[in-house]
Amino acid sequence: MRKIVAGKLHGIHVTEANLDYHGSITLDPDHCEEAGMLPMEFVEIWNKNSGARISTYVILGERGSRCCILNGAAARTCQPGDQVIICNSVYVHERELTALKPRVLTFDKDNRIVDRLTYSVERDAGGDYSFSILNESNDVLCVPALVGRS
């Protein structure tokens, strides 16, 4: 079994840090549903501003609120306004990898969804893997790569 990305909220902004609540991250159910994140599911959170990395579980906030609230100890890792990446994962057998199509949402400064992307892994006849990022129209987007390096 391999741990693989299942969904991601990329660049969502922290709306509140609530040290006095007893833990977790509170997210808008609309965002969770689109990215395939479940209540009580463990997620990894990576702070783009500070580099902090934490793990906690999801609780659902008010639908349509566009909230991203770090609670309890997690509140010490982020400040309101910080951009974070929230990622859930799933364990799959390698043979199931090409069937998995993780949803990735990107956000503006008000936590409105800007892009809806899909990650795709394919395998050719020789057994080699390829990785693609697709937009809503299923157009393939550029993947960062080392170009011209030897």
Side-chain angles (χ1 to χ4, degrees), residues 76-126:
R76 295 226 184 255
T77 68
C78 299
Q79 298 298 311
D82 283 358
Q83 256 193 326
V84 296
I85 300 165
I86 303 166
C87 182
N88 64 343
S89 57
V90 63
Y91 286 94
V92 299
H93 288 283
E94 187 174 346
R95 66 182 173 274
E96 300 169 309
L97 179 60
T98 57
L100 190 63
K101 303 296 180 203
R103 293 290 309 226
V104 178
L105 307 178
T106 67
F107 296 87
D108 69 10
K109 65 179 181 59
D110 296 314
N111 288 345
R112 289 186 183 88
I113 297 169
V114 174
D115 291 305
R116 291 169 171 86
L117 308 172
T118 303
Y119 287 170
S120 179
V121 174
E122 302 298 327
R123 204 160 198 186
D124 65 22

